[in-house]
Amino acid sequence: MKRLAVAIIHGIGSEKEFFSVELKHRIVQEYLKGDPENRMEDDLLFHEIYWGDLVKDEHGELLKQLDYRNELTYQGVRNMFVDFMRLGLSYRKGSDSGLYEAIHGRIKESLAKFATHRHVDTDSTPMVLMAHSFGSVIMSDYIHDLANNGADFSPFESFQTLAGIITFASPLGVYSAHHDDFHGPMPKVGKALEDGLKDRVKWLNFYDKDDVVAYPLKNVSEDYNQAVDEDIEINVGSAATSWNPACHTGYWEDKDFYKPVAKYLGEVRAPHDFWKLS
């Protein structure tokens, strides 16, 4: 039996390792409910791409210093804002910080490890990419860089078997509009993907209207309009966060997000000769 790989990269506000464990469990449960007679947990292979430890936690002391009156509210949102400012200044190719190269090196290592999984065929295993927040910007850069530097990578590691993109809480729209040298949208269909699966591939972009980091993508440009299948507005977060910018970190546990994700994975993994035992 062939598997569907799912690679998940985090963004700002989810920098702890094993950030996607609970999301994986929720997606799998919903996936199995969709067709309990024919689906198995082993149909899906999940893998985290973790880079949060490369960003030093320096903002905590700064915020304490600035808030000397101990009166500032929304500390979590402020932390997130400072993180975005820091990344925006340091995440540039060739910058003195070296952060761009360090993060991309981590992605390369992580995908190489994923490629060694005993159920991954590096020539043919389809992969769905899930990218949260600034992780979508990072992966867009990484995939476009591969176009020039991916000769030594397997089809799996170079996203040539890509079977769809799921962005959530993504600032790609703002980022692309304010960076003249930023490239167009990522390709959502890998060149080496099985022909019979290509017509199932989608790019789904999820956003909460209260999340000031997340934006629709289809109206960024005509290229994005063609690449992105749906901008899907959802409401995420708890009673305390679903109505304000703190909802940015609420996608991971919210059924409004993981249920349609599981549905999409089920559509890609629906019966086809490709999925049968070879």
Side-chain angles (χ1 to χ4, degrees):
M1 179 185 68
K2 297 179 179 179
R3 271 71 169 182
L4 173 61
V6 183
I8 309 176
I9 186 168
H10 68 82
I12 294 302
S14 52
E15 296 95 343
K16 293 182 179 180
E17 200 169 2
F18 311 118
F19 57 89
S20 68
V21 171
E22 289 302 318
L23 175 63
K24 169 190 171 181
H25 291 327
R26 291 180 171 94
I27 290 174
V28 169
Q29 288 176 352
E30 290 300 321
Y31 171 80
L32 295 176
K33 287 178 184 178
D35 188 358
E37 297 298 323
N38 298 300
R39 294 180 181 177
M40 297 185 296
E41 183 173 351
D42 287 346
D43 292 347
L44 308 176
L45 298 177
F46 288 85
H47 182 77
E48 289 187 347
I49 301 174
Y50 176 67
W51 55 271
D53 59 317
L54 299 176
V55 182
K56 294 181 180 179
D57 183 16
E58 299 171 344
H59 63 267
E61 290 303 318
L62 173 61
L63 289 178
K64 288 180 181 178
Q65 177 183 345
L66 296 177
D67 189 20
Y68 69 95
R69 292 181 174 179
N70 196 30
E71 63 182 359
L72 298 180
T73 59
Y74 295 116
Q75 290 293 323
V77 178
R78 291 178 188 276
N79 288 344
M80 185 176 65
F81 176 72
V82 172
D83 275 345
F84 263 99
M85 289 186 64
R86 186 170 70 238
L87 266 180
L89 293 172
S90 58
Y91 176 78
R92 293 291 183 89
K93 184 184 292 187
S95 71
D96 292 340
S97 72
L99 185 60
Y100 185 101
E101 290 75 16
I103 292 176
H104 285 221
R106 177 65 59 80
I107 296 171
K108 176 183 176 181
E109 294 172 0
S110 186
L111 290 172
K113 181 178 180 180
F114 197 9
T116 64
H117 193 287
R118 64 190 180 93
H119 290 308
V120 168
D121 182 329
T122 56
D123 289 326
S124 64
T125 296
M127 183 200 302
V128 173
L129 173 65
M130 296 180 61
H132 175 249
S133 186
F134 201 81
S136 62
V137 174
I138 291 170
M139 290 311 304
S140 186
D141 282 330
Y142 186 83
I143 290 174
H144 280 92
D145 285 353
L146 282 174
N148 299 318
N149 305 304
D152 297 329
F153 294 78
S154 70
F156 182 79
E157 295 169 81
S158 58
F159 294 94
Q160 293 182 46
T161 61
L162 190 62
I165 298 172
I166 295 171
T167 47
F168 52 115
S170 173
L172 262 175
V174 172
Y175 198 85
S176 61
H178 287 276
H179 292 76
D180 294 336
D181 58 345
F182 196 67
H183 38 69
M186 297 175 276
K188 63 184 175 185
V189 183
K191 296 179 180 178
L193 185 67
E194 166 70 26
D195 286 340
L197 302 182
K198 288 182 178 179
D199 60 353
R200 303 179 179 189
V201 171
K202 294 180 181 179
W203 182 338
L204 304 178
N205 178 54
F206 294 87
Y207 69 98
D208 186 313
K209 66 181 182 181
D210 296 312
D211 180 357
V212 297
V213 175
Y215 293 88
L217 291 176
K218 289 183 70 66
N219 203 42
V220 170
S221 67
E222 183 55 30
D223 287 340
Y224 269 96
N225 183 46
Q226 294 296 322
V228 177
D229 291 271
E230 292 184 72
D231 284 318
I232 304 173
E233 181 192 341
I234 57 177
N235 184 36
V236 299
S238 66
T241 63
S242 64
W243 50 273
N244 62 61
C247 67
H248 181 71
T249 59
Y251 296 76
W252 302 95
E253 302 89 13
D254 204 292
K255 65 180 183 301
D256 283 0
F257 175 62
Y258 64 75
K259 283 189 174 184
V261 169
K263 181 176 182 293
Y264 174 66
L265 298 181
E267 292 170 354
V268 177
R269 191 61 178 69
H272 186 278
D273 287 343
F274 174 83
W275 298 116
K276 296 179 181 178
L277 287 172
S278 56

